[in-house]
Amino acid sequence: MRKTLLIIALGIAYSGLTYGQKVQIPISRQGFHDNIDKEQVAADKFDGKQDNFVKVSDDESMSLQVTNALLKQVDDIQNEIELDTALDHRLKVKYLSGLQQTLKDYNTKRAFKRIDAEEAPAMVQAYRAMMHADIKGASIYPIARKLSFEAGERMIEPFKENPGYQESRAEMFSKYAFKNLEDIMPKLGPYLDYPVTDSIIAAVARQYPNKVLTYATSYTPTASAIRRNQDPLVQQIVQIGRSGQSTKLMPFIDQLLDGTATISDLESTVSNDDNYFRQMVKASIALQKRKSNGENPLGLKSMQENMHAKSLRYIREINDLHDEGHAVRFRIVKDFTPEELYYLIINGQEELYTSSYTNAAKNGLYDQMMLRMKPSRGDSLLMLVSFDRFKKFIAMAAGFNTLDHFLKSMDPENANYLMVKFVRSLEKTADLEDAVDVANSFGSIRDPKLLDFLRTEVRKNLVFVTGKKDKRGMTIYELLNSIFTEEGQGSDSSWASEMSSKLKLPPINYVEFKDLPSDSGRVYQQVFFYGDEDGVSSYASFMGNFPRSDWDVNKNKYWTTITSLKGKPTTIYANNPLDEPEDKTAIEKLAEYLDEKDIHPTIFIHRGHSYHVNTTLDNLQSTARIVILGSCGGYHNLATVLEKAPEAHIISSKQVGTRWVNEPIIRSLEDLVRGGKNVDWVHMWAGLGKKFSAEPANKPLFDDYVPPHKNLGAIFIKAYRQVMKDEN
């Protein structure tokens, strides 16, 4: 109540600047008014100026309404509370505290963009109405139910003794729950007796059935609430949960619901790994057909997750046998159908060796998939699998240089139609994965005619979404159109500089040295190793890069510290590859140490199989400027890196990384860093290219690595987020 103070005996008198009535405030309530005043000042200063004007938008009329509510009307409520002789001290404190909490909640949520700032007038008006109702002993529910969750969540808390409190609390929880179905299950505990909870559980079951299954099979009060829920889908999940194979059965929930499968039949099938995989392939094709017809299959997400895990089991065995003869190496898939091989491929992007995908002996998964098709036509294959994730397949074919072969296996008009579909409808997906696949594939295609065709199709789609005024679509296709210029193959510095300027991004072809050191002038790096056989050998090989004449090496139980003795100050922290699961403990201990010492590396290096990469990414800091994944840089990895470290330059591989390539890259990087030079990716990659051109065995492995200036997927994600940030 931004007032002039007048001390009167044992009380405080507030004289409003906008009106004349003086209100005497006992000193025992002075602090409550002061707290309200602080929140009013905070709201006033939100735009950087304390000027009795709360700006919430360019609409001056709306800002005036918000200003009146937060400053004038709040003052009025304070005065009203103090002037009401029917209220004792306890009630006045209750209503003043509630008012302060409402303002504080509004200010906090506005700061984190969790509330519409223009809700302030409705909030102040609602609080006043609730207070009046509470004084009369009437329910606050008719007022609370009209508020958004963000506005009403904390506002109702002072009214716990009100007859409408429980109903209002249920209303607020319901509004929150239906907006946050993915994360609501752990929060159901206090609300299990509320009637709305049954509807919430049923809603979660339709979008995230696995989450309901997790709780249905637990020993918690929530499990009891799920079991008594009468919704047919929830009851089907309960039945699945009673099986010892529940996680394997869950993907087949659509078939169980429509009666085309039974739990007992499926239990028999999934007990054998090969039969389980084959059944998932058949079910996936059926679910994809339903999705194409506009349905929303419930088990599709869990089907994809389970199939991904099972596919990697086959792929890892094939990869591990890379030194064996083809008959031994590929025996695990010798009886697989073309469509089963297709699903292995699209689920194996993270780990497929090039030689596992295609090789000169035509024994690779792609080779055998095409040979086993009768006739050997790519369009027939895609029809067999109902075009399930075909954009992922096309992007992988481009990356492994088999796209030309695949397209030539079909009639030209069908090939053209396929590539039209490849770049179409990117605006309709829930995430950017398809758009990133298109961007990445463009960097791998070398056929000039196909490139021109794709450029034309991108422009056609841009015209289409512009006509519909689809902002997301316009952003996606405008960015692709910018990246897909005639020179858009990321082969030189001039193109990279042009892209940086056009997309309003920092340089994509180099990292300035000044961005790498900490405030102390030292460059900090963190390297992640894991405790499997590959990790132990990688660590041993890595340590050979640091001669005692140039580096000081110290090792404790959990990590190794490598400090430069020459050149710019550089310190590398590498966790020791302890036996699993102690390797994760080593990473945790190192993270704790870095946090304690306030050390924030700018270079992060992942050494290990792709199934370890999530642990590395969990420990990635926002200070990262260079990230070497040393394993597949698929969409989800790229997106996670750039979510955590928006300015990161990412080196990744189209297949599992190898130390024969990782270490020359790391040595080149360390030479530049210790020399205090900018890390110019174009020049660095040209030098590495010359080195590997003299190593026939390693040249194909190096060619699978993607430097930051050619990582079109990462460039696209950065540019898209920059556009969205600018618009917001």
Side-chain angles (χ1 to χ4, degrees):
M1 203 166 28
R2 307 142 301 104
K3 313 272 187 191
T4 301
L5 295 174
L6 175 62
I7 301 178
I8 301 178
L10 296 178
I12 303 294
Y14 283 81
S15 178
L17 297 178
T18 56
Y19 49 97
Q21 184 179 20
K22 291 182 179 179
V23 181
Q24 185 169 318
I25 311 296
I27 198 167
S28 59
R29 290 197 295 277
Q30 174 188 344
F32 298 100
H33 286 278
D34 288 344
N35 289 337
I36 293 171
D37 295 349
K38 289 176 184 177
E39 296 302 333
Q40 288 178 293
V41 171
D44 188 355
K45 292 171 64 176
F46 191 87
D47 60 1
K49 296 180 292 183
Q50 186 176 352
D51 54 4
N52 290 330
F53 182 71
V54 183
K55 183 177 180 179
V56 296
S57 70
D58 292 332
D59 183 344
E60 186 174 1
S61 174
M62 177 52 67
S63 293
L64 286 171
Q65 291 180 52
V66 172
T67 301
N68 179 64
L70 294 177
L71 305 187
K72 172 65 168 61
Q73 291 182 36
V74 167
D75 283 354
D76 289 347
I77 295 172
Q78 288 177 263
N79 282 323
E80 181 182 335
I81 292 169
E82 289 298 340
L83 290 171
D84 191 336
T85 57
L87 300 179
D88 60 19
H89 172 74
R90 182 186 68 84
L91 289 174
K92 289 182 179 182
V93 168
K94 167 184 171 179
Y95 296 133
L96 290 171
S97 298
L99 181 59
Q100 182 262 340
Q101 185 58 58
T102 296
L103 292 178
K104 183 177 181 179
D105 190 47
Y106 171 84
N107 285 335
T108 301
K109 287 174 177 171
R110 186 182 175 194
F112 288 94
K113 297 182 179 179
R114 295 203 298 262
I115 197 170
D116 182 349
E118 296 179 359
E119 286 196 67
M123 290 177 68
V124 174
Q125 183 181 5
Y127 184 82
R128 189 175 222 161
M130 284 188 193
M131 184 179 74
H132 290 164
D134 193 56
I135 291 171
K136 296 175 183 177
S139 172
I140 63 169
Y141 177 68
I143 305 155
R145 66 188 297 269
K146 297 177 183 178
L147 293 170
S148 69
F149 165 77
E150 291 75 17
E153 173 194 16
R154 300 301 297 274
M155 191 187 299
I156 66 172
E157 289 308 305
F159 305 101
K160 290 183 178 179
E161 298 171 359
N162 186 277
Y165 172 73
Q166 291 296 332
E167 200 174 7
S168 299
R169 187 166 181 253
E171 181 75 20
M172 291 302 142
F173 177 68
S174 174
K175 289 179 177 181
Y176 173 81
F178 283 109
K179 288 176 64 176
N180 298 274
L181 291 175
E182 186 172 6
D183 305 309
I184 200 61
M185 291 301 295
K187 302 173 184 178
L188 287 179
Y191 302 92
L192 295 178
D193 293 331
Y194 286 52
V196 72
T197 302
D198 283 346
S199 298
I200 293 169
I201 292 172
V204 175
R206 278 155 180 77
Q207 291 194 37
Y208 308 101
N210 271 359
K211 294 184 179 294
V212 176
L213 177 66
T214 298
Y215 278 88
T217 55
S218 68
Y219 296 97
T220 65
T222 302
S224 298
I226 292 171
R227 286 194 289 270
R228 69 171 181 257
N229 192 299
Q230 295 304 303
D231 182 85
L233 173 57
V234 176
Q235 281 303 305
Q236 181 65 75
I237 294 174
V238 170
Q239 294 300 316
I240 291 172
R242 289 173 177 156
S243 169
Q245 303 273 19
S246 59
T247 56
K248 288 185 175 182
L249 298 185
M250 193 63 199
F252 302 99
I253 189 167
D254 298 275
Q255 291 90 327
L256 291 170
L257 283 169
D258 65 22
T260 56
T262 65
I263 287 179
S264 59
D265 288 343
L266 288 173
E267 283 178 328
S268 175
T269 300
V270 304
S271 61
N272 175 278
D273 278 351
D274 289 344
N275 290 340
Y276 176 39
F277 182 77
R278 291 190 169 98
Q279 188 66 28
M280 283 196 292
V281 168
K282 293 176 183 176
S284 292
I285 294 171
L287 292 180
Q288 186 61 29
K289 287 179 180 177
R290 294 174 66 165
K291 183 180 178 182
S292 300
N293 292 331
E295 297 182 45
N296 183 30
L298 298 168
L300 190 57
K301 186 173 185 294
S302 56
M303 183 73 73
Q304 291 175 348
E305 291 172 351
N306 285 20
M307 187 178 291
H308 176 260
K310 191 58 63 179
S311 296
L312 292 182
R313 173 240 170 181
Y314 291 107
I315 288 167
R316 287 169 188 164
E317 179 168 332
I318 294 169
N319 287 346
D320 289 345
L321 295 171
H322 61 89
D323 290 330
E324 301 291 337
H326 294 297
V328 173
R329 184 180 184 187
F330 293 96
R331 66 187 171 192
I332 195 171
V333 295
K334 64 182 179 65
D335 296 323
F336 274 34
T337 64
E339 54 267 43
E340 289 163 358
L341 293 173
Y342 174 88
Y343 275 97
L344 281 184
I345 289 171
I346 62 172
N347 283 291
Q349 182 189 35
E350 298 172 2
E351 300 193 24
L352 261 178
Y353 286 177
T354 298
S355 59
S356 299
Y357 176 86
T358 185
N359 53 59
K362 300 298 181 186
N363 288 108
L365 298 180
Y366 171 81
D367 307 317
Q368 287 300 307
M369 178 187 73
M370 295 302 290
L371 287 171
R372 295 176 196 181
M373 275 296 296
K374 302 297 180 186
S376 182
R377 292 175 58 101
D379 48 358
S380 299
L381 170 70
L382 292 179
M383 291 178 69
L384 266 180
V385 298
S386 297
F387 287 85
D388 190 6
R389 283 171 284 169
F390 82 96
K391 292 183 182 183
K392 174 70 62 187
F393 176 80
I394 294 296
M396 292 180 68
F400 284 114
N401 297 316
T402 60
L403 181 57
D404 184 61
H405 175 271
F406 186 73
L407 293 177
K408 286 181 177 177
S409 73
M410 61 189 83
D411 294 337
E413 60 269 23
N414 287 353
N416 286 345
Y417 174 70
L418 179 62
M419 297 313 291
V420 167
K421 284 192 68 172
F422 180 57
V423 297
R424 182 182 289 174
S425 302
L426 300 177
E427 76 281 4
K428 295 180 180 179
T429 55
D431 55 31
L432 294 176
E433 184 167 7
D434 283 354
V436 169
D437 283 340
V438 171
N440 278 330
S441 65
F442 199 89
S444 303
I445 296 171
R446 295 292 175 263
D447 182 346
K449 289 184 179 179
L450 181 55
L451 287 173
D452 286 341
F453 179 83
L454 290 176
R455 290 188 188 106
T456 300
E457 289 304 314
V458 166
R459 293 181 189 121
K460 286 180 181 178
N461 280 276
L462 176 55
V463 171
F464 175 72
V465 294
T466 301
K468 294 193 334 179
K469 297 183 179 179
D470 184 326
K471 188 60 185 174
R472 184 172 188 267
M474 290 164 63
T475 301
I476 289 172
Y477 284 107
E478 282 172 354
L479 291 175
L480 289 177
N481 190 47
S482 296
I483 293 173
F484 293 0
T485 58
E486 294 296 330
E487 300 78 25
Q489 297 180 29
S491 57
D492 55 39
S493 297
S494 60
W495 178 83
S497 298
E498 179 187 340
M499 283 299 100
S500 297
S501 175
K502 187 184 294 187
L503 301 175
K504 299 180 181 179
L505 293 173
I508 59 177
N509 54 318
Y510 63 89
V511 177
E512 292 189 86
F513 176 78
K514 68 179 182 63
D515 293 331
L516 296 177
S518 66
D519 292 341
S520 66
R522 180 170 295 276
V523 178
Y524 290 106
Q525 306 178 39
Q526 186 173 359
V527 188
F528 296 81
F529 290 97
Y530 294 87
D532 51 20
E533 183 180 348
D534 174 75
V536 172
S537 62
S538 292
Y539 173 83
S541 178
F542 174 76
M543 293 307 300
N545 293 310
F546 305 101
R548 297 285 179 171
S549 58
D550 293 341
W551 301 86
D552 178 58
V553 179
N554 289 288
K555 184 176 181 180
N556 65 25
K557 179 179 178 181
Y558 292 111
W559 69 84
T560 303
T561 305
I562 308 164
T563 306
S564 63
L565 299 176
K566 298 177 181 178
K568 296 293 184 180
T570 302
T571 298
I572 303 169
Y573 294 99
N575 66 279
N576 301 330
L578 305 181
D579 290 343
E580 298 176 300
E582 281 296 298
D583 52 354
K584 304 288 178 63
T585 302
I587 292 172
E588 291 171 4
K589 294 292 185 182
L590 176 54
E592 291 171 3
Y593 172 80
L594 296 177
D595 185 55
E596 178 186 338
K597 298 296 183 181
D598 198 27
I599 293 172
H600 305 286
T602 52
I603 299 174
F604 289 80
I605 301 172
H606 170 77
R607 297 294 299 272
H609 289 299
S610 61
Y611 45 83
H612 293 306
V613 79
N614 284 339
T615 301
T616 296
L617 297 183
D618 286 343
N619 288 274
L620 189 68
Q621 297 189 36
S622 62
T623 50
R625 295 295 177 271
I626 297 173
V627 177
I628 302 177
L629 290 181
S631 61
C632 174
Y635 164 73
H636 294 289
N637 290 344
L638 298 178
T640 300
V641 170
L642 296 174
E643 182 70 34
K644 291 196 165 194
E647 297 180 47
H649 287 225
I650 305 170
I651 296 175
S652 59
S653 173
K654 296 175 187 175
Q655 65 165 7
V656 177
T658 169
R659 66 175 181 268
W660 305 113
V661 178
N662 286 335
E663 290 183 14
I665 291 174
I666 292 170
R667 284 196 295 270
S668 296
L669 177 61
E670 299 301 347
D671 289 344
L672 291 171
V673 170
R674 284 198 300 153
K677 299 176 182 178
N678 293 343
V679 181
D680 187 312
W681 302 117
V682 176
H683 292 163
M684 177 176 163
W685 228 252
L688 288 166
K690 290 180 181 178
K691 167 189 162 42
F692 283 109
S693 64
E695 301 178 16
N698 293 327
K699 179 64 164 61
L701 301 175
F702 172 70
D703 289 342
D704 278 331
Y705 279 68
V706 184
H709 65 290
K710 291 188 177 182
N711 198 328
L712 298 187
I715 293 170
F716 177 86
I717 294 172
K718 283 186 177 182
Y720 182 87
R721 289 181 175 171
Q722 183 62 49
V723 171
M724 293 295 103
K725 178 181 175 183
D726 290 345
E727 289 185 354
N728 289 334

